[in-house]
Amino acid sequence: VQLQASGGGLVQTGASLRLSCAASGRTFSNYVMGWFRQAPGKEREFVAAISQGGSTYYADSVKGRLTISRDNAKDTAYLQMNSLKPEDTAVYYCAAKTLFVIPAVPRTYDYWGQGTQVTVSS
């Protein structure tokens, strides 16, 4: 499956953004979708994941502010980001795999999008 992330940008603290991850090439509804982020000089960090049936799992650092969702009719996953903070600044990647097991571990994902930059100014 091919993944295309979009929706990043430069915003101020407290603003909102919605990232999209458009999938193609395979049956989107068969895949667990995950969002990860990587800030300069840091390792890739888990943000959120959603199962084929809509079950969600979040990193503690984003609970209550970021929401993952999916629209299987549009072959697209989303990450709604509210109350953004400077520490949310990173390149955000979407990823896909078939099993909703250890969803926070990057190496368990089979497919990755190219990333979209989110910058939050203070």
Side-chain angles (χ1 to χ4, degrees):
V1 61
Q2 291 79 48
L3 304 175
Q4 180 77 33
S6 62
L10 171 63
V11 297
Q12 293 186 332
T13 296
S16 297
L17 278 175
R18 188 177 78 159
L19 306 184
S20 298
C21 178
S24 61
R26 298 284 180 94
T27 304
F28 176 73
S29 59
N30 288 344
Y31 291 89
V32 173
M33 298 301 298
W35 284 97
F36 293 80
R37 64 187 181 187
Q38 189 165 18
K42 295 188 177 182
E43 293 188 354
R44 193 163 295 191
E45 174 189 31
F46 170 73
V47 175
I50 186 166
S51 73
Q52 295 90 333
S55 297
T56 57
Y57 181 64
Y58 293 94
D60 288 342
S61 61
V62 305
K63 283 181 180 177
R65 297 190 301 117
L66 276 58
T67 303
I68 190 171
S69 62
R70 65 190 300 155
D71 186 338
N72 290 338
K74 296 183 178 180
D75 293 345
T76 302
Y78 302 98
L79 186 67
Q80 178 67 42
M81 308 170 69
N82 297 330
S83 303
L84 283 163
K85 306 175 182 180
E87 50 264 43
D88 294 317
T89 295
V91 177
Y92 283 71
Y93 298 90
C94 59
K97 63 177 181 175
T98 55
L99 295 179
F100 195 57
V101 174
I102 46 173
V105 179
R107 61 179 171 80
T108 66
Y109 286 78
D110 301 309
Y111 306 97
W112 289 84
Q114 86 291 358
T116 184
Q117 177 72 48
V118 172
T119 303
V120 184
S121 64
S122 57

